[in-house]
Amino acid sequence: MSQQSAVPKPSLQGVRTKVRKGQVKAQAKHEPAVFRDQLYKHLETVPENDFEGFSAKLVQAGGTLEYLKYADALFEILLVGGLIQPGGSYLDDGAPMSPFSIFNARNPPDIEELKKYVDVFNKLNRRFKYLQKPFEEQSLPTLLQYIGRWSSEQRDKLAMTIGLLFSQGLATAACLQSLTKDHLIKNDLSINILASIFSAYLADQSIDHLAATLKRGNIKDLLLFFPPNKRDAKKQYAIAKDAIMRELKEVVERSDDSESIISAIQSKLEEQRLPEAELIQSIWQGLMASVDWSARPDQIEGLALREVGKFAPVLVAFCKGPKTQVALINIVQVYCYDDTRVMKAFPQILKVLYNRDCVSDQAIIYWHQKGSKPQGRQHFLKATEGLVKFLQEQEESEEDEDEE
């Protein structure tokens, strides 16, 4: 044997093997799906609606899965139930929807249930603090720009969840900039989403708190969320609403006469017309602002009922259509939610409005079944069950008489 043949051949140890670019791209393309499947294995073991269980499993999974690397995928799965492709459609690879997602919440969306989902995000981001930045700066803005792709119920769930995230300080309002994109502004989609976000926020915090949150998020001009052709009109509406509220307060201070108040409102409307729902809101707020609420706490509810009865002729004059009547009920609901002194009086206020022909039985039943606002919804629906049952039975009795 020759000496040359005994010399060992050069080794490739420690040398990086070059991989073709196409192979790297193909492998990277499927990595989020692999992450999703691994995450599902953790979540699938948790019973439905066991929010503590989901929180525990997500913390446990974070010990082995690369949450930071796949933060976008993680929040897509937890927020909208699956991986999202560029353009907003789901990744179509046959995978089921996530065992945990806010889209799994019941219909219609319930603010109290969504708070339980939000608490899971709170615990996750507190445990893995490095997730907060991608959550706020990447995931929420991206999902908001695709929000038009989902059903109205899914949009409401996402919007209300975002409102609760804001109200609890778990995300800033900066992500709302995504809603100013042209494809969302048209057809009023952006402003409707914004309204759902604000409604959920105000179910948890005050209007002043919301204003401060928007300021910190650098959201300065809400008119940017309206279609361009409506922005001037909205400015005029805001000016008109303020003028009506100021005028009402001054007129009521001078006189309680309903005809004088109605005449003053009509004069203002000649200067600038308002949509009926916004008009009735201005009237309610202006009338309530004129009331002296300095009575003893045990007299506040009685005072509220007397004042609503006194001002009923004014409300009747401008609350004629069914949509406006439902809008009035919602205005009163939110008012009673915001002012806890009159919260218990809501069913009695509704009775006064019904007895004085401000709202119809159909408007009350519709509001109770599917037209209520998120603010205090469960409380107010429960409190008005007796009234609604009475109205339904009365309606059925009248139908039976008609048949005879």
Side-chain angles (χ1 to χ4, degrees), residues 67-68 70-76 78-80 102 117-118 120-122 124-126 128-144 158 161-162 164-166 169-172 174-175:
Y67 276 179
L68 182 57
Y70 298 107
D72 289 346
L74 173 65
F75 289 119
E76 287 171 6
L78 300 181
L79 284 166
V80 300
I102 61 167
Y117 282 88
V118 168
V120 174
F121 287 96
N122 183 23
L124 177 66
N125 286 358
R126 279 169 53 195
F128 304 101
K129 291 183 172 57
Y130 54 77
L131 289 175
Q132 187 63 37
K133 186 174 181 180
F135 181 59
E136 287 191 78
E137 297 182 4
Q138 295 164 218
S139 298
L140 291 179
T142 299
L143 292 176
L144 275 175
L158 182 57
T161 297
I162 290 172
L164 292 172
L165 289 168
F166 291 170
L170 305 179
T172 69
C175 63

Side-chain angles (χ1 to χ4, degrees), residues 79-92:
L79 284 166
V80 300
L83 296 177
I84 301 298
Q85 300 183 102
S89 59
Y90 284 106
L91 179 64
D92 187 12

Side-chain angles (χ1 to χ4, degrees), residues 160-225:
M160 291 168 69
T161 297
I162 290 172
L164 292 172
L165 289 168
F166 291 170
S167 71
Q168 297 181 27
L170 305 179
T172 69
C175 63
L176 294 180
Q177 296 289 355
S178 292
L179 291 177
T180 61
K181 295 182 181 297
D182 291 341
H183 71 283
L184 296 175
I185 289 174
K186 64 180 181 180
N187 301 323
D188 294 331
L189 181 58
S190 287
I191 198 62
N192 289 333
I193 296 300
L194 203 64
S196 294
I197 291 173
F198 288 175
S199 293
Y201 192 108
L202 294 172
D204 213 29
Q205 299 287 358
S206 68
I207 188 72
D208 292 336
H209 196 280
L210 171 59
T213 296
L214 293 175
K215 186 176 181 181
R216 286 194 298 271
N218 203 31
I219 305 298
K220 298 177 180 178
D221 188 0
L222 294 181
L223 289 174
L224 294 177
F225 297 89

Side-chain angles (χ1 to χ4, degrees), residues 365 369 387-397:
I365 293 169
Q369 290 177 341
L387 174 61
V388 172
K389 185 178 180 182
F390 167 77
L391 294 175
Q392 289 173 327
E393 289 175 350
Q394 182 175 270
E395 197 174 56
E396 290 170 2
S397 176

Side-chain angles (χ1 to χ4, degrees), residues 130-335:
Y130 54 77
L131 289 175
Q132 187 63 37
K133 186 174 181 180
F135 181 59
E136 287 191 78
E137 297 182 4
Q138 295 164 218
S139 298
L140 291 179
T142 299
L143 292 176
L144 275 175
Q145 74 175 355
Y146 296 144
I147 199 166
R149 286 192 164 269
W150 293 297
S151 68
S152 59
E153 291 86 1
Q154 290 172 327
R155 290 198 295 267
D156 284 344
K157 290 174 187 177
L158 182 57
M160 291 168 69
T161 297
I162 290 172
L164 292 172
L165 289 168
F166 291 170
S167 71
Q168 297 181 27
L170 305 179
T172 69
C175 63
L176 294 180
Q177 296 289 355
S178 292
L179 291 177
T180 61
K181 295 182 181 297
D182 291 341
H183 71 283
L184 296 175
I185 289 174
K186 64 180 181 180
N187 301 323
D188 294 331
L189 181 58
S190 287
I191 198 62
N192 289 333
I193 296 300
L194 203 64
S196 294
I197 291 173
F198 288 175
S199 293
Y201 192 108
L202 294 172
D204 213 29
Q205 299 287 358
S206 68
I207 188 72
D208 292 336
H209 196 280
L210 171 59
T213 296
L214 293 175
K215 186 176 181 181
R216 286 194 298 271
N218 203 31
I219 305 298
K220 298 177 180 178
D221 188 0
L222 294 181
L223 289 174
L224 294 177
F225 297 89
F226 287 90
N229 63 330
K230 293 186 177 181
R231 290 172 189 171
D232 288 341
K234 290 295 175 182
K235 284 183 180 178
Q236 296 301 319
Y237 290 162
I239 293 170
K241 287 172 69 174
D242 288 342
I244 287 173
M245 286 188 281
R246 287 196 305 272
E247 182 72 13
L248 280 177
K249 193 171 184 299
E250 293 173 5
V251 171
V252 173
E253 287 173 355
R254 295 195 302 266
S255 169
D256 286 344
D257 179 51
S258 296
E259 291 185 4
S260 299
I261 299 172
I262 293 170
S263 177
I265 296 170
Q266 289 173 335
S267 295
K268 285 295 178 185
L269 289 177
E270 290 175 4
E271 299 173 12
Q272 172 65 54
R273 302 298 300 178
L274 269 177
E276 290 183 356
E278 295 192 42
L279 172 61
I280 204 67
Q281 182 183 32
S282 302
I283 294 172
W284 174 269
Q285 290 175 344
L287 294 174
M288 292 301 104
S290 70
V291 176
D292 180 4
W293 295 104
S294 60
R296 295 202 316 263
D298 61 328
Q299 297 177 335
I300 289 292
E301 291 184 23
L303 174 62
L305 296 177
R306 287 195 300 275
E307 294 297 322
V308 171
K310 182 175 71 176
F311 292 133
V314 179
L315 296 170
V316 169
F318 298 97
C319 195
K320 296 175 181 177
K323 287 185 179 180
T324 312
Q325 292 177 11
V326 174
L328 174 59
I329 299 173
N330 277 320
I331 290 162
V332 178
Q333 175 194 335
V334 174
Y335 181 85

Side-chain angles (χ1 to χ4, degrees), residues 19-40:
V19 181
R20 292 182 178 180
K21 289 183 179 179
Q23 186 178 346
V24 172
K25 287 183 179 178
Q27 185 178 355
K29 181 179 179 181
H30 297 291
E31 284 179 353
V34 173
F35 169 83
R36 175 202 61 202
D37 296 342
Q38 292 172 338
L39 181 63
Y40 278 15

